[in-house]
Amino acid sequence: MTQTLLYTGKAKSLYTTDNPDQLLCIFRNDTSAFDGQRIEKLERKGMVNNFFNAFIMETLNKAGIPNHFVKRHSEEASIVKKLTMIPVECVVRNVAAGSLCRRLGVSAGLELNPPTFEFFLKNDELHDPMVNDSLILTFNWASQKDIDQMKKYAFAVNDVLKKLFLEAGLILVDYKLEFGHYHGELILGDEFSPDGCRIWDAETKKVLDKDRFRKEMGDVVEAYEEVAIRLGVKLPQVA
Ligand code: ADP
Ligand code: UDP
């Protein structure tokens, strides 16, 4: 397979493949916080996130939510459909945490009913500012149809995953999704892993996601692995 590096982000690298419609996505051990201001390598994280993401994307696919995942290629890489990404992040929240608490002064842990939806512009230099439908249309980041579909899919993901996580004794607090176009069709791209969502133990409220890295709580990858195992993700045995 001829591979040319197409893009390297904060946590993943995308390579071309022999198929012009597909990319090789390598999940690296790099872990970043605060718009890339703090970066560290966490052993095994790339592998855990690759298996985690494959499991979630396959689950979503079965539930009728189209996404870019094609197949796992190796322990740390997967083949994905090459998308033209929409430069906004879609955040759905079931429980208040993180920037929602900072912006609105609400207490962390407050149940959000109905769940909320926010758009953020994907731009580290500007610290991913919050945007809305009007700005997205004016600046041509996406069409009204795309906006409607992103919201519809983002909540459909919630219906599937909230239940799946709860059955494993886990609360899906919030998560970020990115979408893109594949031959004109809007589908889910990027990744779903503990790097881009918040997960708490339903009983103890133990933090099991990237907040462990942001808040320097330790055992980051161990927590990701715990969630993966509880969800039924089959991880390779540690040698
Ligand atoms: P970041 O760009 O936020 O630092 P990553 O390291 O996760 O993040 O890099 C992945 C990049 O690849 C992101 O910019 C994301 O929008 C983009 N991307 C994700 N999935 C696809 C895809 N299927 N096709 C093209 N680009 C993608
Ligand atoms: N998120 C993400 N990438 C970003 C911003 C947010 O994956 O660039 C995820 C984050 O991990 C959390 C959710 O989106 O699960 C909501 O994040 P929030 O707005 O609370 O921002 P933060 O507290 O991370 O600054």
Side-chain angles (χ1 to χ4, degrees), residues 6-14 23 25 28 32 68 80-86 89 122 124 176 178 189-191:
L6 200 66
Y7 176 80
T8 188
K10 296 187 292 295
K12 301 191 288 300
S13 298
L14 298 177
L23 299 175
C25 175
R28 306 196 314 273
S32 71
H68 70 160
V80 298
K81 291 174 180 167
K82 183 180 182 178
L83 306 186
T84 305
M85 297 304 289
I86 295 178
E89 300 185 338
K122 204 171 149 57
D124 283 338
K176 182 267 297 178
E178 292 180 32
D190 204 46
E191 72 179 276

Side-chain angles (χ1 to χ4, degrees), residues 72-109:
R72 207 169 45 72
H73 170 267
S74 61
E75 290 206 346
E76 290 176 352
S78 287
I79 301 286
V80 298
K81 291 174 180 167
K82 183 180 182 178
L83 306 186
T84 305
M85 297 304 289
I86 295 178
V88 297
E89 300 185 338
C90 302
V91 172
V92 173
R93 300 176 197 265
N94 295 305
V95 176
S99 77
L100 187 85
C101 299
R102 293 198 295 275
R103 277 181 284 124
L104 304 183
V106 293
S107 306

